[in-house]
Amino acid sequence: MIFSVKNENLQREFLGLSFDNPVGLAAGFDKDAEMIDLMEPFGFGAIEIGTLTPKAQPGNEKPRLFRLPKDQALINRMGFNNGGVNEAVDRLKKRKSNIIIGGNIGKNKITDNEFAINDYEYSFEALFNVVDYFVVNVSSPNTPNLRALQEKEPLSKLLSRLQERNNEKEKRKPILLKIAPDLTDSQLDDITDIVRETKIDGIIATNTTISRESLTSVKDKVKEIGAGGLSGKPLTARATEVIKYLRQALGKDICIIGVGGIMTPEDAVEKMKAGANLIQIFSGFIYNGPSFVKNINKAIINAGV
Ligand SMILES: Cc1cc2nc3c(=O)[nH]c(=O)nc-3n(C[C@H](O)[C@H](O)[C@H](O)COP(=O)(O)O)c2cc1C
């Protein structure tokens, strides 16, 4: 009652699903599906769990998550710490909330890229009956070589295999691809070709960036933090640019979920104007606190986007 905004102008029909509002919680916040019933009252229209891998893994050594308050940014190198997909499946079966759930899947660190497809396929099958849509994550900078799976040939094979499995089901589920903001235009062109070829349902743009451009925090501090994905305000403009590019290339029928540096309600409106059908937040929720979803939803109603 405090944080939710119920309004028919917020409702969205995409991916064959009815969203109460377009604001989702981005992947990585509730990797193990432990907090769904706790997070729903903050007013989200969807929660994306994961990234989940077939086997449990500890992720990188701590410290692995840093704040850059001057830049309204985070740097993380969590490295897909999670309890494994099967534990998450058990939790999802017990959840009380019926909020829309996205299942974000990846590969274990110890799995060579050559066998990565098997990891994605395993988690796809495990989660099939307990999530509403799937996200294929090939864009985290914190699993060695993962982003090589964004290249044309491996990506095409991966998505084709998942679509084969999907089409064998009585009722298929939407599959989206989550991409990095660091791709060149020609890589983005390859991706849009593959989206059309494999007939997947949408794209989530974007994951965190490996770039450290335009940071105002002390250079030595940034250097000392070291490797990881940067999120928050320094990502806002690039993520929007990618969304615009993809929308122009793909036309209106492919669902785009816009994420990356939504730090104000106005940023959310801008993402939707750039072509996002739905949006997600992570760093903005950390910096703004619990009323952020409500404020974004109010701005979306006022802007009529
Ligand atoms: C601590 C942390 C962990 C994350 N873990 C994941 C993850 O497991 N899978 C994923 O697809 N994205 C992950 N992300 C990326 C976010 O989902 C999002 O794409 C990115 O942070 C950009 O949005 P933001 O600027 O609103 O934070 C993570 C981000 C952070 C800050």
Side-chain angles (χ1 to χ4, degrees), residues 117 121 124-125 156-169 172 175 198 200:
I117 287 187
E121 197 175 356
F124 179 81
E125 292 291 349
S156 177
K157 279 189 183 154
L158 170 60
L159 295 177
S160 302
R161 172 84 72 89
L162 294 178
Q163 281 290 49
E164 269 170 40
R165 290 284 160 275
N166 205 10
N167 290 330
E168 286 165 6
K169 309 284 182 195
R172 62 183 300 283
I175 299 180
T198 58
I200 61 160

Side-chain angles (χ1 to χ4, degrees), residues 26-28 31 51 76 104 137 178 206-208 231-232 259-261 282-283:
K31 289 179 191 266
T51 297
N76 92 83
N104 182 311
N137 181 10
K178 186 161 177 182
T206 68
N207 214 314
T208 56
S231 58
V259 50
F282 192 136
S283 304

Side-chain angles (χ1 to χ4, degrees), residues 40-305:
E40 193 216 51
F42 290 108
F44 292 103
I47 292 176
E48 193 169 304
I49 56 144
T51 297
L52 286 159
T53 56
K55 296 191 186 86
Q57 59 178 31
N60 291 320
E61 243 175 71
K62 292 179 184 171
R64 55 191 181 183
L65 175 55
F66 308 85
R67 284 189 194 219
L68 298 175
K70 259 195 192 162
D71 285 296
Q72 295 253 304
L74 304 173
I75 290 178
N76 92 83
R77 53 168 171 276
M78 306 299 286
F80 291 171
N81 55 303
N82 77 106
V85 71
N86 291 315
E87 278 192 16
V89 169
D90 290 342
R91 280 191 206 103
L92 285 161
K93 282 181 185 159
K94 289 183 202 137
R95 72 186 169 108
K96 295 195 180 74
S97 155
N98 63 358
I99 190 167
I100 291 174
I101 299 290
N104 182 311
I105 55 178
K107 74 165 193 77
N108 277 112
K109 188 179 178 183
I110 55 159
T111 306
D112 282 343
N113 272 11
E114 205 186 326
F115 304 109
I117 287 187
N118 299 339
D119 276 15
Y120 287 90
E121 197 175 356
Y122 182 92
S123 299
F124 179 81
E125 292 291 349
L127 285 169
F128 194 85
N129 291 325
V130 288
V131 298
D132 299 296
Y133 69 85
F134 281 96
V135 182
V136 178
N137 181 10
V138 284
S139 48
S140 164
N142 301 315
T143 295
N145 291 328
L146 185 84
R147 286 169 306 148
L149 298 173
Q150 291 178 122
E151 294 300 327
K152 204 161 191 178
E153 203 193 316
L155 185 60
S156 177
K157 279 189 183 154
L158 170 60
L159 295 177
S160 302
R161 172 84 72 89
L162 294 178
Q163 281 290 49
E164 269 170 40
R165 290 284 160 275
N166 205 10
N167 290 330
E168 286 165 6
K169 309 284 182 195
E170 207 167 292
K171 190 169 182 290
R172 62 183 300 283
K173 294 232 159 134
I175 299 180
L176 294 91
L177 175 71
K178 186 161 177 182
I179 63 167
D182 306 313
L183 300 171
T184 61
D185 285 359
S186 106
Q187 286 174 309
L188 288 175
D189 292 338
D190 285 348
I191 296 225
T192 56
D193 286 346
I194 293 169
V195 168
R196 284 198 205 94
E197 267 166 41
T198 58
K199 298 190 169 66
I200 61 160
D201 304 84
I203 298 192
I204 303 198
T206 68
N207 214 314
T208 56
T209 178
I210 54 169
S211 161
R212 297 290 186 266
E213 269 170 42
S214 73
L215 289 179
T216 56
S217 300
V218 182
K219 277 216 168 67
D220 282 351
K221 189 187 167 194
V222 176
K223 214 169 162 190
E224 198 185 299
I225 289 172
L230 175 70
S231 58
K233 197 163 179 221
L235 185 57
T236 315
R238 177 59 190 156
T240 304
E241 199 173 61
V242 173
I243 292 162
K244 262 191 198 150
Y245 191 93
L246 293 172
R247 179 53 75 207
Q248 217 161 27
L250 286 167
K252 63 175 175 28
D253 291 339
I254 299 284
C255 180
I256 298 177
I257 301 184
V259 50
I262 298 178
M263 306 306 285
T264 64
E266 293 72 33
D267 292 338
V269 170
E270 193 179 72
K271 287 276 188 290
M272 304 202 71
K273 285 186 176 162
N277 303 115
L278 304 164
I279 54 165
Q280 291 180 341
I281 56 170
F282 192 136
S283 304
F285 189 63
I286 304 296
Y287 278 100
N288 287 287
S291 55
F292 193 42
V293 185
K294 172 166 134 180
N295 291 336
I296 291 177
N297 274 323
K298 281 186 182 164
I300 287 172
I301 296 171
N302 287 337
V305 287

